[in-house]
Amino acid sequence: MNYSDCSETMMHFKFSPKILQRLGEELIPNPDQGIIELVKNSYDADATECTVELTKTSTIGGSLIISDNGVGMDKDAISEGWLVLGRSKKANRELTQLGRLPVGNKGLGRLAALQIGSQVFLKTRPKHEPGVEYSLTINWDDFQEVDVVEDVPFNVQKSSTNQRHGTDIIVSNLKNIFNKRDIQRLARELLLLADPFENHAGFRLKLIALEFAEIEKQVNNAYFDDAEYHLQASINELGIAEASLLDWQNNVIFQAKHSDISQEPYKTPATKFELWVFFLNPQTFSARKTSVSFTQVREWLAQVGNVRLYHRGLRVKPYGDPDDDWLNLNYARARNPEVRPSTKTVIGRVIVKDHDDMLLQKTDRLGFIENEAFLELKRFAIDVLEWMAKERLKVTETQRQRVKKQVPRDITEAKARIEEVIEAEVPQESRPKVLEAVQQYETVTERETKVLREDLQLYRSLATAGTTAAVFAHESAKPVTSIAKIANRIEKKGKEILGEKYEQYFGEPVRKLYQVSKSLLRFSDFPLHLLKREKRRAGVVDVHSVIDEILALFQSFFDEGGIQVIKEKIDTKPCIYGSEALLEAIITNLLTNAINAFNVEGGRIEERKLIIRTEIKGSSLKIKFLDNGSGIHNIKIDEIWLPDKTTREGGTGLGLTIVRDSVTDMGGSVDAIAKGELGGAEFIVELTLIRE
């Protein structure tokens, strides 16, 4: 065969319409993120205002309208930019007329966003062509009738208009329902997209919805002046860092050069890092001349708390989301709660311009690829937080050591003063009795000090175990979250590939994966909840509220053990004086004791029952814990409170000791019955009521 006789045929890649659907579903799985992508286009178009409107959202088939006052697009810009997928004219990163660095990339985010409805209507008015409007309609159903994407033509219409320059995008027949909670979440995302606390942001977003005004008010109630500390840090173009820590009166208390923070320059773009740290307790605020309550600040932080990352003027998700601890704040706090903030007690921002495209966003627009530049950026922020904690710890330790050294001197001076007073004021014949009474007091005090030292050793061991558990709990949350994501992926792909057969082969196992993931996340939350610092402060405690919170945390344990929990609570709201931490310690250890009672060899397997009952008798509140387990045996009833005494293999023998000490510290009493009302152990905690 003579190949030279063959005519040459030019061929090209062609794309099935299915690729559009795949890109839309897999790139932007969340409709909120799709809307944000369209808003980012408005930012890149130098808009100073952008309005988002959702209509008829309670049912499928509503509409999304995004309008801006940007520079608009002419016919060439639509053809060579807006309709081109996988390439963006923003790639050259030239500054816009307003000096903005474009944030868009590849043009794929726009595609995914437009597909949240079945039809798109584009109207755009270019700034350089006053009085002209271009329009374009996309019907996604048209792509179902063709073999390749290129077979669907678009007709760009040109018409006259008296409207100002800008762009309107109407996405109709939405595939998703937006309930009130969805709209609240979207409102929050829009408000935080352009740093709301930057005075020169120049980009105002508005969502036409009642929920937006409410959340906008909460977000805009800035309480920065009520922060305990204000951290300021930065990296210059050479990767050299510096930092300052200011107190609530705006006085610089610590400063750091680069060598105080890191041994090496940071290989990342020039960055600015600001953090405001709050002490959320009434005492901190009452000590200042301020009309703001800690409750107001706490509610504000519930909306805006955590540290967000702003890249080229706009926020990058998921950094700083309520469940995203990208700087490991909570992990570090678990190790050293005295000098570390949590994601719920700070508001912060990491601001990066990145003229040279060192940071690269992932294709799905959620976060950056973890290249060297991003890891170095993260290292910088964490190093600065470490420096702040180290400096605060130095001050705390210095104060503690000063007090420890001063106390013996104060005691010696006090004793000398007592002797002087006795010598000067007490008659000679009465002095021996007075000195004997003083000596007796000193003996009792020394005995108490010895007991406290022993208790301190015991509770230091428990604190170490608790903080270690918190660290493991925090770290375990990451792989556990991956389980849910993997299960979701299996479910989605399984239904796509197997159709109706999916349920037969994978339905039950995938549901179990979801269930296990949910249970493990609850388990990981448990120690972190118990170690919250504010719970250790003394005050009025709502007993029923604490009981409900602890039972909610234990629910996964009860479900796993097949234990029915019954709450028999009095109708009133009983309150005591003490700390939430002490009451939680009592309830937690008694619940743990009950669960363990069911798991002993030969213990009850079915119809396991646990009752928590509250009763009022005179000025006292009784909290009773009853179970139908095997009861207390193989140990004397008065020995169950002693440290290291346990009947369970592998037990610490400290749970009931903690219960006894905690009840005593709150001025109450605790009793136990080996075989109580339900046949198992019964514990009765009695505390003094506060009458409201």
Side-chain angles (χ1 to χ4, degrees), residues 309 312 398 480 533:
L309 176 54
R312 293 178 171 153
T398 300
V480 169
R533 185 181 181 185

Side-chain angles (χ1 to χ4, degrees), residues 5 11 17 66 93 139 165 328 386 412 497 515 565 574 580 603 616 625 657:
D5 294 337
M11 297 185 181
I66 297 181
R93 295 305 180 206
N139 287 301
H165 56 82
N328 298 324
E386 288 285 340
T412 302
I497 296 170
Q515 184 180 353
V565 179
E580 284 188 38
I616 289 180
F625 299 79
T657 303

Side-chain angles (χ1 to χ4, degrees), residues 555-566:
Q555 192 57 53
S556 293
F557 296 92
F558 297 140
D559 292 342
E560 290 290 325
I563 302 171
Q564 178 191 7
V565 179
I566 301 170

Side-chain angles (χ1 to χ4, degrees), residues 489-542:
R489 182 73 173 167
I490 294 172
E491 182 180 24
K492 190 173 181 180
K493 284 295 178 184
K495 288 180 178 179
E496 181 182 320
I497 296 170
L498 298 176
E500 294 180 357
K501 291 185 178 180
Y502 164 81
E503 187 63 33
Q504 178 183 350
Y505 293 106
F506 293 105
E508 185 60 26
V510 169
R511 278 193 292 274
K512 285 185 177 179
L513 281 176
Y514 281 126
Q515 184 180 353
V516 168
S517 172
K518 187 176 179 181
S519 295
L520 288 174
L521 277 175
R522 281 188 174 178
F523 295 159
S524 67
D525 285 341
F526 194 85
L528 296 174
H529 173 87
L530 294 178
L531 286 173
K532 289 180 179 177
R533 185 181 181 185
E534 58 268 21
K535 294 177 178 292
R536 301 196 293 273
R537 299 187 180 96
V540 177
V541 179
D542 179 352

Side-chain angles (χ1 to χ4, degrees), residues 428-439:
Q428 184 72 35
E429 62 274 13
S430 301
R431 288 177 190 174
K433 290 184 179 181
V434 174
L435 289 171
E436 183 182 354
V438 171
Q439 182 62 45

Side-chain angles (χ1 to χ4, degrees), residues 633-646:
H633 52 86
N634 299 330
I635 186 172
K636 294 179 180 179
I637 199 73
D638 58 345
E639 292 183 357
I640 62 174
W641 313 106
L642 300 177
D644 301 324
K645 291 290 185 179
T646 180

